[in-house]
Amino acid sequence: HQHQVPAKAMAYWQLLGQVAWETRTYDVAKSAYAQYVGQPEATLEDWYRLIFLVRQEHPAQAADLAFQAYKRFKAVEQLLLALGVYAELGDTEAQARVYAELRGVATDSLAKDSRFLLMRAQFHQRQKKSELAWADYRQALKQAPKNTEVVLANLWFLIDGQRVELLPALMHAYGALAGADPAFWQAYAAASQALERHREAVFWYAKAARHNPNDPLMLLNYADALERTDQHGMADRMRRHAWLQLKQKSPQAQPVQAAMPNQELLALARLRLMDQPGDAGLALVRQWVSQMRGLPGAPATEQTAVLVLGWAIVKEQFSNARAWMWSRYARQSQLAPPLWGDSQTALQLHETQTMDRLLTRHGEALPIYNRYDTAYEL
């Protein structure tokens, strides 16, 4: 009978919302609570139910309702919910509006809640206001020194901000706790890498990998640490394991897969940029060289030289690339190295004379990105 009942019949809408909620008729419950929550009789529980129902399809609207509920009932949980949803949506304008409304006495009382401090710190961090963020992180840690989420937030902030001088003390203070809590292992591994303590990083990554062997991005970071401790074979195995995991989740191995989480996309991008594992770049060079073997004349020889040069640059073997250009081109006056290879190698090896010559004589012919980078370096 809801279509026959006037909007002012609040007792009806409250009862309809309750019955629809308990019978899981959520569309009816949402429309009923939307009619009712604006009334003085509405309770925080009524607001909570409406926010829950709206959030499924309209998270921004749910966040607005949560902030209204906070202002009406002074319920901190609803404020934190609103700020959390805005953060998930990346709506910095809405977050800024909320923090502006909270200035003064309300903010002073809220600052006693470490959860609010963490949210505000993350907002400041996204706004590139690192000192304000750091002040909130430190205050949260002071208020809740045994809270794992607070400790990890401080640790990751120092890692991301490259504040390496502050990392050792914090790591030492929570070392005993970190050894037994898997939540700390990746953070301690990353912190050890930031401090150039690669053997310690390997120790923490090994614990993290045993606990969760299905995190491709973590495995790639583990491989980096292994490589820095001269365990190249093990590093390659880690990268191959990460690659196989990603191939199972994305058989086509496309650079962008909408269904893949951001962490896995990042891992896939890193592997593809590194041509790892199996070195697809080198495999392609070998395949093409074998196909061109026996072809008459200089073109095949020149194409082979270009392929090997390209592979050396992709693998960041810039000294080898320069030596290759010297042996294959400089001794043959009729052949000149390709501009992209010459300029990229000069950039990486900081050969300013070569960069100046290329920019002066061949500026218009250089690839646009190399031209910009060379001009900037000079």
Side-chain angles (χ1 to χ4, degrees):
H1 299 285
Q2 58 181 307
H3 300 296
Q4 304 168 18
V5 177
K8 295 180 181 180
M10 291 303 151
Y12 171 83
W13 295 114
Q14 192 273 341
L15 183 58
L16 176 62
Q18 182 178 346
V19 172
W21 173 270
E22 292 177 357
T23 57
R24 299 185 181 183
T25 315
Y26 291 135
D27 288 341
V28 176
K30 182 167 66 173
S31 62
Y33 280 120
Q35 291 273 16
Y36 178 68
V37 293
Q39 299 303 309
E41 298 86 358
T43 65
L44 179 59
E45 180 70 14
D46 298 324
W47 280 82
Y48 166 78
R49 290 179 177 180
L50 177 61
I51 291 165
F52 173 83
L53 294 168
V54 171
R55 188 179 178 182
Q56 312 303 313
E57 297 180 0
H58 306 287
Q61 184 181 348
D64 293 339
L65 287 169
F67 187 49
Q68 291 177 41
Y70 164 74
K71 289 193 290 185
R72 179 167 174 176
F73 299 99
K74 299 303 177 187
V76 176
E77 295 295 336
Q78 295 302 317
L79 173 63
L80 297 176
L81 173 61
L83 290 171
V85 173
Y86 287 139
E88 289 174 9
L89 297 173
D91 192 343
T92 55
E93 291 185 6
Q95 292 175 73
R97 185 185 71 247
V98 170
Y99 287 119
E101 289 192 42
L102 295 174
R103 286 190 185 128
V105 179
T107 305
D108 293 338
S109 62
L110 288 167
K112 298 176 183 177
D113 190 316
S114 60
R115 297 171 299 170
F116 173 78
L117 287 173
L118 284 189
M119 286 195 170
R120 191 172 66 178
Q122 290 160 4
F123 171 71
H124 287 321
Q125 194 173 353
R126 285 189 288 270
Q127 297 295 103
K128 309 298 182 184
K129 298 177 180 178
S130 57
E131 292 308 319
L132 291 175
W134 180 225
D136 278 347
Y137 280 127
R138 282 183 299 176
Q139 183 63 22
L141 186 62
K142 184 178 179 180
Q143 292 178 190
K146 296 183 179 180
N147 185 297
T148 298
E149 184 181 0
V150 172
V151 176
L152 285 173
N154 276 265
L155 195 56
W156 282 116
F157 175 78
L158 295 178
I159 294 168
D160 294 340
Q162 290 297 306
R163 301 188 179 208
V164 292
E165 71 280 359
L166 301 175
L167 276 172
L170 187 61
M171 293 174 69
H172 178 73
Y174 292 94
L177 178 63
D181 190 345
F184 283 86
W185 295 345
Q186 286 198 51
Y188 265 63
S192 300
Q193 281 182 308
L195 293 167
E196 300 289 338
R197 299 176 181 176
H198 299 293
R199 293 194 181 279
E200 292 181 23
V202 168
F203 168 78
W204 291 109
Y205 276 130
K207 290 172 71 70
R210 286 194 295 270
H211 178 72
N212 179 19
N214 300 316
D215 183 344
L217 188 57
M218 184 271 293
L219 294 177
L220 292 183
N221 293 333
Y222 186 12
D224 293 342
L226 287 166
E227 210 158 43
R228 293 297 295 271
T229 56
D230 296 323
Q231 301 181 62
H232 301 287
M234 189 67 176
D236 285 341
R237 286 178 59 192
M238 284 295 160
R239 290 192 179 110
R240 181 163 185 78
H241 186 57
W243 176 252
L244 291 174
Q245 284 186 1
L246 290 168
K247 282 192 70 175
Q248 289 174 357
K249 296 178 181 180
S250 171
Q252 302 303 315
Q254 297 297 322
V256 177
Q257 292 287 337
M260 294 179 72
N262 288 341
Q263 295 289 82
E264 293 180 2
L265 279 174
L266 179 56
L268 181 59
R270 280 183 57 181
L271 282 171
R272 291 176 70 84
L273 286 171
M274 294 168 64
D275 281 332
Q276 287 285 357
D279 196 355
L282 181 57
L284 189 61
V285 170
R286 288 173 173 161
Q287 177 186 343
W288 286 3
V289 167
S290 65
Q291 289 175 355
M292 290 187 295
R293 185 174 293 126
L295 293 178
T301 304
E302 185 176 351
Q303 289 177 47
T304 303
V306 169
L307 282 170
V308 175
L309 173 62
W311 173 77
I313 289 176
V314 165
K315 300 303 292 178
E316 298 185 351
Q317 299 178 5
F318 301 108
S319 296
N320 288 344
R322 176 59 71 206
W324 179 257
M325 281 189 280
W326 175 258
S327 64
R328 305 299 294 185
Y329 297 102
R331 291 188 297 184
Q332 302 182 51
S333 57
Q334 71 273 22
L335 290 178
L339 290 174
W340 57 265
D342 206 2
S343 59
Q344 187 65 26
T345 305
L347 270 170
Q348 298 297 332
L349 297 177
H350 305 290
E351 297 172 340
T352 54
Q353 291 183 342
T354 303
M355 286 190 281
D356 184 69
R357 173 178 55 80
L358 290 170
L359 196 60
T360 303
R361 299 182 185 178
H362 308 287
E364 292 301 320
L366 285 174
I368 191 68
Y369 41 85
N370 279 11
R371 190 193 319 166
Y372 286 161
D373 290 348
T374 301
Y376 182 83
E377 184 73 10
L378 289 170

